[in-house]
Amino acid sequence: MSDTSAGSEESAPGPEEVRHVADLARVGLDDDEVERFTDQFADILDYFETLDEVPEVERDADLVNVMREDEVRDSLSQDEALANASETEDGYFKGPNVS
Amino acid sequence: MSADYNVFITEETIEGADDGLLADSTVAVKDNISTEGVRTTCGSEMLDDYVPPYDATVVEKLKDAGATIVGKANMDEFGMGSTTETSAYGAAENPAAPGHVPGGSSGGSAAAVAAGEADVALGSDTGGSIRNPAAFCGVVGIKPTYGLVSRYGLVAYANSLEQIGPLAPTVEEAAELLDVISGPDGNDATTRDEGDGSDYASAATGEVEGTTVGVPTELVEGADEGVRERFEAALDDLREQGATVEEVSLPSVEHAVEAYYVIAMSEASSNLARFDGVRYGHSGGFDGNWNETFSKAREEGFGEEVKRRILLGTYALSAGYHDKYYKQAQDARAWVKQDFDEAFESVDVLASPTMPTPPFEVGESLEDPLQMYLADANTVPVNLADLPAISVPAGEVDDGLPVGIQFIGPAFGEAEIIRVGSAVEN
């Protein structure tokens, strides 16, 4: 079938690959979740494989860009923008270290 | 008697203007639609204390029309689910069928209408999330044509598929609410002019003489026997009123569910990347670097169905798999659109059972996600093709389990499906 460049094997992802994808997605998982997802992903991805049967379809995209003038408009105040942040400092969002 | 169906996540009264089309109406608003100053959680721990600083366009329109918003309705977390059991605030129940789910993801909105907790409600429909709970709770739900209703202020799950739409006890009331919320919006560049100044309510004439209803065989074959009987009875009723019913074939819909989930999960993995606990949302605390903190906040804040979809979406978009899953799903989407276009050359509307089964029992579908995904087979093709569809009650099976019939129209054919839907009520 398809020859994928990444992903070492053709079969569904094992626990290590589930952990790897979770790392890419920045979603922590506990061991139970890794186990459940490994089983479920096998079924779900197997089902997605049936997309192989879809013929190539000519997409006559009648898409148009919707443009507007880039002009200054009212926006949230700084206080409003910061109101939902757990930590702020001197009018800025405060986040964790980047690396 | 005031049974608690866990309809609302937040009960709060938001008064609208003194007069307008909805001056006497109470409205429940799904909790993924932003309300200024009123908590909007999306059914998630992640947004447990999030208070939007602005109103969604549809909420502004409700207020302008004089509606009284009575609460933020329960929902599957971030719209991901078909039963309203994945809410972080507990499952909603089905007022029309005790012991059964109200459907999802707009289950709280449908249940609010069915229980009389609100006159009408707003939901959002990404793959059937308005029509499914409408069918399960015995009310009317409309998924509008993509671009008819502004998504500004709707917390995004899968932008290319989702639309906000009405739930109501009758077709006419649903159409009236659609009149209020439809139309172009400068804050949403995907909106179109077609809904501007609409009068869909007056299309609910119950008149079907001369209308041709197409029935896609593929969307009937998989349905439960009881559901099929109700569906056939509704069609007989339309025939008696002067409609013509004919079979049509839409071979592409056999692949709609997998295409839908690949696209929706891919868009979800991107959309939900914004929830990092820094600007808003659940914060994991600041131990460790950005990636560690981010992962921890999301581990704690997201429920299992949301994590499942983010991970599958990330996988489907990752290097080496993009062509295999995402590109093929886009091909399937184009094929589905083409199939519908061809069908509408010979029929006015298409009809199918809304859901292939009556409402599930509580807890029935949670263990097997793939089975839950397959339940959306009749609703997702409509979202893939950007078309409008309505679900109207078509009776009950097994002494009290509601069944819905779905009518699908061509793009911006809302008046047509409203007209045919209202004939079912006759």
Side-chain angles (χ1 to χ4, degrees), chain B residues 75-394:
Chain B
M75 57 180 285
D76 280 303
E77 186 177 2
F78 284 103
M80 300 179 188
S82 303
T83 62
T84 311
E85 291 172 293
T86 72
S87 168
Y89 301 91
E93 289 177 51
N94 189 334
H100 295 75
V101 303
S105 64
S106 311
S109 298
V113 174
E117 302 263 344
D119 296 324
V120 293
L122 289 185
S124 66
D125 190 314
T126 308
S129 284
I130 289 173
R131 290 160 285 157
N132 164 345
F136 279 8
C137 292
V139 301
V140 175
I142 299 175
K143 181 265 166 201
T145 308
Y146 189 79
L148 189 83
V149 177
S150 171
R151 286 178 295 107
Y152 180 71
L154 172 68
V155 179
Y157 151 30
N159 320 48
S160 81
L161 298 159
E162 61 205 0
Q163 277 283 286
I164 295 171
L167 291 131
T170 66
V171 172
E172 187 175 0
E173 288 163 286
E176 212 169 71
L177 182 52
L178 185 59
D179 281 326
V180 169
I181 60 173
S182 65
D185 178 16
N187 285 325
D188 178 356
T190 63
T191 52
R192 304 270 295 267
D193 293 330
E194 277 83 348
D196 204 15
S198 64
D199 185 10
Y200 299 126
S202 72
T205 57
E207 181 60 53
V208 282
E209 180 79 47
T211 302
T212 308
V213 179
V215 177
T217 46
E218 295 85 355
L219 299 185
V220 182
E221 281 162 1
D224 279 12
E225 198 181 324
V227 171
R228 282 174 76 156
E229 281 170 15
R230 295 310 318 150
F231 175 68
E232 296 295 345
L235 291 179
D236 285 344
D237 189 39
L238 292 178
R239 280 191 193 94
E240 277 172 28
Q241 297 182 56
T244 307
V245 178
E246 60 183 55
E247 283 193 358
V248 299
S249 181
L250 299 174
S252 67
V253 301
E254 304 283 7
H255 294 285
V257 171
E258 56 263 35
Y260 165 75
Y261 277 100
V262 168
I263 292 168
M265 288 170 175
S266 297
E267 292 187 19
S269 72
S270 167
N271 273 320
L272 271 60
R274 82 190 67 185
F275 298 105
D276 57 7
V278 173
R279 289 155 300 161
Y280 40 73
H282 174 83
S283 166
F286 287 174
D287 293 334
N289 68 28
W290 182 287
N291 287 341
E292 290 161 0
T293 310
F294 198 174
S295 295
K296 187 171 162 225
R298 290 155 65 82
E299 176 172 7
E300 293 173 356
F302 287 144
E304 188 159 317
E305 184 60 36
V306 172
K307 290 177 186 173
R308 188 155 38 232
R309 294 195 193 188
I310 291 174
L311 261 58
L312 283 165
T314 302
Y315 184 77
L317 291 177
S318 63
Y321 294 104
H322 177 277
D323 282 3
K324 181 177 169 62
Y325 295 111
Y326 189 74
K327 188 178 163 296
Q328 287 190 335
Q330 294 293 2
D331 278 334
R333 184 174 189 170
W335 187 22
V336 169
K337 284 188 187 193
Q338 200 178 67
D339 255 6
F340 274 113
D341 282 349
E342 284 171 18
F344 285 121
E345 284 171 15
S346 58
V347 302
D348 299 308
V349 299
L350 293 163
S352 79
T354 308
M355 297 297 291
T357 65
F360 317 126
E361 285 178 28
V362 171
E364 193 182 348
S365 69
L366 280 186
E367 290 306 309
D368 189 345
L370 184 56
Q371 281 310 310
M372 184 170 77
Y373 301 162
L374 292 172
D376 296 343
N378 286 5
T379 51
V380 299
V382 171
N383 300 70
L384 288 173
D386 305 329
L387 300 175
I390 189 170
S391 178
V392 182

